[in-house]
Amino acid sequence: MKYISTRGQGGAKSFQEVLLAGLAEDGGLYVPAELPRFDQDKIRSLRGLPYNELAFEVIQPFVAGEIPDAKLKGMIDDSYTTFAHEAVAPLTQLKSHQWIMELFHGPTLAFKDFALQLLGRLLDYTLTERGERAVVLGATSGDTGSAAIEGCRHSDAMDIFILHPYQRVSEFQRRQMTTVLDSSVNNIAVQGNFDDCQAMVKQCFADQSFLPESSGKKPRLVAVNSINWARIMAQVVYYFHAALELGGPDRAVSFSVPTGNFGDIFAGYIARGMGLPVDKLIVATNRNDILHRFFQSNDYRKQGLEHTLSPSMDIMVSSNFERLLFDLQDRDGNALAEQMATFEETGKLSVSEQRWQKVRELFDSSRTDNQDTCDAIKVIFDRTGYLADPHTVTAIRALEEVATDRRTPNVVLATAHPVKFPQAIEQAGLDAPKRPHHLKDLLDREERYEVLPNDLNAVKRFIQNHLT
């Protein structure tokens, strides 16, 4: 399996090169040169497999030849033994044709655990094999940070630096990161928004000269955000899991996905490209609705950021959207590079009417504001007894707005446990859920984090001064 940049430069790369690089040298994102294809008989043969065994079957073609199968299988097995539910991603039925796939039974109670538990092990294996050290650098709008820390903290080969927007994540989310006091873990609260944090991460990857040498070697900067292909790869698995549980591949399934950065739903697009019958992919957003505006009116432009009750989606620009644009440009990296340069200059882009109509055949979208979020949490709980977090509820509500075939199973991706967002639950007029046993004392634990100005040089100096 070889990988190429969406912006067309740098040539084909191996899986391990892409794993360690994160962002391509030309500023693009890595994607497979060709997707592995599963025919219907192959998909049918995967029915009934435990989640870890299904994950190996789906992931192995992306890694083949670079990590021995036995090692890869061991890493996958270890990753999902950390989950609290034996099914790993259980399905709960809400209506005759509507299911919730709960992706919050991992150690940090968010869907990011599916990818980051595995990513940490893949990085540790690869760095150890190469005798290298890495600086893990990521930006988080809420859940990626704690999942990355939990996935990478046990490796002696990595220092971890996570940027989050100061006072713009929930207290629960912040404390999941800042109460990990390992010497290799560093949390930075940036006095800006998530897009500011993400922009600084990208700038650090573009110019890594600020990293000092140690013992004659320079550490490698490694991405844990969903710009890292391995994140997408791991998330593809649960689309296969849900479809197989609901009759796939002999009937198609539709998915409604709360997403700001487009990575989680792009994994569904990849699953479809691999041969999984997917009828619709529905993008659910909050007031920060750049994706919704594109899918409804071919208008992808930056607007001011709003602070909402679903903070993990408080994003102005969706990093992974570039991967879809690459396909819409017929995988022409030069054309995509020009388009992204125009977007950087003007803050807006659109595609041809023909291409937009083509993408609309698969994708639809919905937007939910704060009041509708609270109303929907209450209505769904009163109607079904199911308590959904403020991100998941945008995807449930999207199914009320977007027409789908009622004979097609609709799966909502529940991306976080409601305990992480007590403010939204209480504003909906409900009691905040109790914290799981392993996090019962979270709000009493000692915290450690640094508040820094929205300044790239300040962040670089902090990293330089805190390498172990």
Side-chain angles (χ1 to χ4, degrees), residues 250-267:
D250 298 311
R251 62 173 176 172
V253 178
S254 292
F255 294 90
S256 184
V257 185
T259 186
N261 237 350
F262 201 69
D264 204 14
I265 201 163
F266 185 76

Side-chain angles (χ1 to χ4, degrees), residues 92-346:
T92 298
Q93 190 167 11
L94 283 190
K95 291 183 178 180
S96 60
H97 62 296
Q98 188 179 110
W99 282 261
I100 301 277
M101 180 163 56
E102 295 181 343
L103 302 177
F104 51 70
H105 293 285
T108 71
L109 310 182
F111 79 98
K112 309 291 177 76
D113 290 321
F114 279 84
L116 285 161
Q117 282 294 303
L118 179 58
L119 179 61
R121 289 168 169 84
L122 289 168
L123 288 171
D124 186 56
Y125 171 84
T126 302
L127 290 167
T128 301
E129 285 288 301
R130 293 177 172 224
E132 296 184 21
R133 285 194 61 78
V135 175
V136 171
L137 179 62
T140 185
S141 55
D143 293 324
T144 292
S146 57
I149 289 168
E150 191 61 34
C152 299
R153 62 186 285 198
H154 303 296
S155 172
D156 293 331
M158 292 182 263
D159 287 303
I160 306 164
F161 294 85
I162 301 296
L163 282 60
H164 72 268
Y166 182 52
Q167 295 183 335
R168 293 199 177 188
V169 300
S170 76
E171 182 182 15
F172 192 99
Q173 288 175 308
R174 186 191 77 238
R175 285 179 174 271
Q176 279 189 295
M177 297 184 285
T178 60
T179 57
V180 179
L181 303 180
D182 303 35
S183 60
S184 62
V185 174
N186 299 273
N187 285 284
I188 301 170
V190 175
Q191 293 174 321
N193 58 44
F194 170 75
D195 290 86
D196 296 325
C197 296
Q198 185 148 269
M200 282 194 273
V201 168
K202 287 186 174 182
Q203 288 170 310
C204 286
F205 274 91
D207 179 9
Q208 300 183 26
S209 60
F210 72 97
L211 291 174
E213 287 189 5
S214 177
S215 302
K217 279 189 174 182
K218 198 180 205 39
R220 182 189 289 269
L221 205 60
V222 170
V224 291
N225 284 75
S226 53
I227 59 175
N228 193 313
W229 169 256
R231 285 273 307 271
I232 305 295
M233 173 188 76
Q235 291 169 295
V236 171
V237 178
Y238 46 69
Y239 285 90
F240 276 87
H241 166 73
L244 288 164
E245 289 290 309
L246 297 174
D250 298 311
R251 62 173 176 172
V253 178
S254 292
F255 294 90
S256 184
V257 185
T259 186
N261 237 350
F262 201 69
D264 204 14
I265 201 163
F266 185 76
Y269 173 79
I270 292 296
R272 183 176 182 266
M274 293 174 68
L276 188 71
V278 174
D279 184 51
K280 280 285 184 184
L281 292 170
I282 302 167
V283 171
T285 70
N286 59 23
R287 290 295 300 170
N288 300 295
D289 60 352
I290 188 169
L291 291 171
H292 175 66
R293 284 182 278 113
F294 174 80
F295 288 113
Q296 293 304 311
S297 56
N298 196 11
D299 177 20
Y300 188 84
R301 75 174 68 207
K302 295 180 184 180
Q303 289 186 351
L305 192 76
E306 294 188 33
H307 186 43
T308 75
L309 292 173
S310 45
S312 297
M313 300 191 295
D314 288 350
I315 293 170
M316 283 192 293
V317 178
S318 300
S319 290
N320 279 284
F321 190 61
E322 179 170 333
R323 287 181 161 123
L324 180 65
L325 287 173
F326 179 59
D327 279 3
L328 292 181
Q329 289 283 9
D330 301 319
R331 310 203 106 206
D332 183 338
N334 292 328
L336 192 279
E338 290 180 13
Q339 189 175 40
M340 296 310 296
T342 300
F343 178 69
E344 290 294 327
E345 183 180 335
T346 66

